[in-house]
Amino acid sequence: MKVLLLKDPKDKDSGPDPYIKELGLYGLEATLIPVLSFEFISLESLFEKLSHPEYYGGLVFTSPRALEAVKICLKENSKNEVWSKSLKQRWNTKPVYVVGKATASLVEEIGLVPQGEKSGNAEKLAEFICSREKPNSSSLLFPCGALKREVLPTVLKEKGIPLESLTVYQTTQHADLQESLSSYFSQQGIPASIVFFSPSGVKFCLQHIQKLSGDFINHTKFAAIGPTTAEAMEAAGITVSCTAENPTPQDLAAGIQRALHQQNCCLSK
């Protein structure tokens, strides 16, 4: 059975995509279609703030893209040198809060130690931060995207924990999205399951998928990587058959397998 993953492929240098690999263990044939493009902005301002750890109580990262922005800054030799010689050590005296394993691994790549990676979503990370931070302490620096949800900032504000947000990337639809979807459906047919990885993915893809699937859309099991994406899917009128318990390849693959197995059981009765 075929599964369509609406996400960017993992970096080519790091081997096969873990989601394709994990679904393959269940005998599912997965294909990736990139949905989003990212434009990085305010990078000078980002590095200026990173250059002054003394102004902040710690860092918050809720997406791999925010770490990509930091890594772009550090590609400049002079900035990388300052980071390696002093800034990295100074930030390591402070907490670095993250959501998810992918973001945590990128934090480790720049030499910092992540906390809270098992929280899985912004709501749980906010609770984790509130359990560790004191009200009216130094601000946490939060590099984020233009489409960030307000859940985390709102919760921290209610608890009196200062947060300084800086928009470092903007999200747009991938230039090849419509063509890639049309090509997939014409060559592979309608997949058994379609997985959304972000509310933006729902916004940019759903209309095309509905048009390409027609009446057969009711035979497809829709899956979400997490509760935020599931909410966006339900708001758009999609029945969500499975939401990964944690945003990992293992949990997603197991959830899809269960959803497809239940469908097959129903059909065989």
Side-chain angles (χ1 to χ4, degrees):
M1 285 189 283
K2 292 181 169 61
V3 177
L4 176 58
L5 304 171
L6 298 167
K7 69 181 283 287
D8 289 337
K10 199 175 177 192
D11 295 338
K12 293 184 180 71
D13 301 339
S14 52
D17 187 273
Y19 287 92
I20 290 180
K21 193 175 174 184
E22 195 66 30
L23 286 160
L25 297 176
Y26 288 95
L28 299 169
E29 184 187 336
T31 302
L32 291 176
I33 290 183
V35 173
L36 309 174
S37 291
F38 301 95
E39 178 192 353
F40 293 97
I41 59 174
S42 307
L43 296 184
E44 284 301 322
S45 180
L46 173 60
F47 192 75
E48 173 63 25
K49 292 177 187 297
L50 289 173
S51 299
H52 292 284
E54 69 275 13
Y55 295 165
Y56 299 99
L59 289 161
V60 180
F61 293 106
T62 58
S63 80
R65 304 294 164 210
L67 267 304
E68 283 183 38
V70 175
K71 290 177 85 171
I72 291 168
C73 289
L74 299 182
K75 280 181 179 175
E76 281 186 40
N77 288 338
S78 58
K79 290 175 179 173
N80 199 320
E81 195 174 335
V82 175
W83 178 261
S84 300
K85 281 187 174 177
S86 66
L87 291 178
K88 181 171 66 176
Q89 288 86 342
R90 288 164 67 196
W91 278 112
N92 265 327
T93 65
K94 302 167 186 288
V96 182
Y97 298 110
V98 304
V99 167
K101 287 185 177 179
T103 307
S105 65
L106 288 171
V107 164
E108 288 168 350
E109 282 180 25
I110 62 170
L112 301 180
V113 180
Q115 296 182 25
E117 64 183 84
K118 291 183 180 176
S119 36
N121 60 51
E123 288 90 339
K124 289 181 182 174
L125 181 63
E127 289 172 17
F128 181 84
I129 293 171
C130 290
S131 71
R132 283 159 174 74
E133 295 291 325
K134 293 176 181 174
N136 304 315
S137 51
S138 299
S139 293
L140 299 171
L141 179 60
F142 180 33
C144 56
L147 298 179
K148 78 174 189 306
R149 293 172 72 230
E150 291 303 319
V151 171
L152 188 140
T154 301
V155 172
L156 295 192
K157 187 177 181 181
E158 285 171 357
K159 299 289 185 181
I161 297 166
L163 185 74
E164 184 179 321
S165 302
L166 176 68
T167 301
V168 294
Y169 67 92
Q170 295 173 334
T171 307
T172 57
Q173 179 177 312
H174 194 284
D176 300 327
L177 176 61
Q178 200 165 343
E179 187 182 333
S180 298
L181 284 170
S182 298
S183 176
Y184 176 87
F185 276 81
S186 63
Q187 291 173 23
Q188 308 269 0
I190 295 165
S193 179
I194 296 176
V195 188
F196 287 99
F197 284 77
S198 68
S200 300
V202 179
K203 176 185 171 184
F204 294 138
C205 294
L206 183 57
Q207 197 174 352
H208 301 312
I209 288 169
Q210 287 169 327
K211 189 176 177 182
L212 292 163
S213 300
D215 294 338
F216 290 99
I217 197 166
N218 297 325
H219 300 297
T220 298
K221 294 290 182 185
F222 285 93
I225 193 60
T228 306
T229 302
E231 284 171 20
M233 292 162 70
E234 286 165 355
I238 303 176
T239 299
V240 181
S241 299
C242 131
T243 303
E245 287 183 19
N246 295 291
T248 66
Q250 293 77 15
D251 284 319
L252 179 69
I256 290 172
Q257 171 68 6
R258 281 194 298 271
L260 293 175
H261 179 69
Q262 285 167 2
Q263 181 184 36
N264 290 337
C265 288
C266 291
L267 290 173
S268 61
K269 284 180 182 177

